[in-house]
Amino acid sequence: MGTSRSRGTGRRHEPRSVSFDEDLIRAALAVAATADPRDVPVGAVVVAADGTELARAVNAREALGDPTAHAEVLAIRAAARVLGDGWRLAGATLAVTLEPCTMCAGALVMARVDRLVFGAWEPKTGAVGSLWDVVRDRRLNHRPDVRGGVLAQECAGLLETFFARQRLG
């Protein structure tokens, strides 16, 4: 298998397969399904370079009364605790069911996450290509590799069901 170069970092790593990324998004979908009924069902999983799961989290803004309790932020925090290496998640991949917002995109850049894999695009608040492109801003000292749209229909379906239920009730 060949190698790919991370944008702007100079590191070399083995590319991940499509099936690996789909498995990550399926894991994120499974955790998203556990969301509190009041929270938007977004799930995130962080894995180490060797594929070992470090953390998983679901949106918990309503459940925790915390505006920063997005799945990505919670998973990044938990993964950093597991690694015990301060705040750096070098070599890690973050998989999330929905394109990250500006806060979450900034958090994964600051945590030095190597790869981001996400499911559904978010045209209203997405910060990885839809509305903004925080993670590819050349002014930043870290730019993760990104793969978006993985199992996008399945991820969007979970959100559509949630919002339809919200409108009804």
Side-chain angles (χ1 to χ4, degrees):
M1 191 186 286
T3 59
S4 66
R5 185 173 295 276
S6 297
R7 287 182 276 292
T9 62
R11 290 185 314 272
R12 295 185 71 77
H13 65 279
E14 292 297 314
R16 295 297 184 163
S17 70
V18 170
S19 63
F20 177 80
D21 290 348
E22 288 177 355
D23 289 345
L24 289 176
I25 294 297
R26 283 187 188 94
L29 278 164
V31 73
T34 69
D36 182 286
R38 299 169 298 154
D39 276 302
V40 178
V42 174
V45 176
V46 179
V47 296
D50 67 1
T52 303
E53 185 175 308
L54 299 173
R56 56 176 51 203
V58 63
N59 264 3
R61 288 184 350 165
E62 299 296 332
L64 297 177
D66 178 353
T68 69
H70 288 199
E72 300 95 310
V73 171
L74 297 173
I76 287 168
R77 289 175 184 164
R81 284 191 301 272
V82 169
L83 284 180
D85 185 29
W87 49 269
R88 289 178 184 84
L89 295 178
T93 296
L94 177 113
V96 62
T97 56
L98 183 65
E99 178 184 3
C101 68
T102 53
M103 175 182 68
C104 295
L108 70 96
V109 167
M110 293 292 107
R112 307 300 194 265
V113 170
D114 273 7
R115 290 185 75 237
L116 168 65
V117 179
F118 68 88
W121 293 91
E122 173 45 281
K124 294 180 181 177
T125 62
V128 186
S130 289
L131 191 56
W132 295 285
D133 202 349
V134 172
V135 299
R136 292 185 192 97
D137 190 320
R138 295 202 174 275
R139 295 169 293 185
L140 299 175
N141 64 347
H142 177 75
R143 291 183 300 279
D145 286 332
V146 175
R147 181 161 179 244
V150 177
L151 301 178
Q153 288 181 321
E154 292 91 329
C155 294
L158 185 62
L159 296 166
E160 289 165 3
T161 299
F162 170 81
F163 286 113
R165 201 171 49 239
Q166 293 294 100
R167 285 189 295 275
L168 292 175

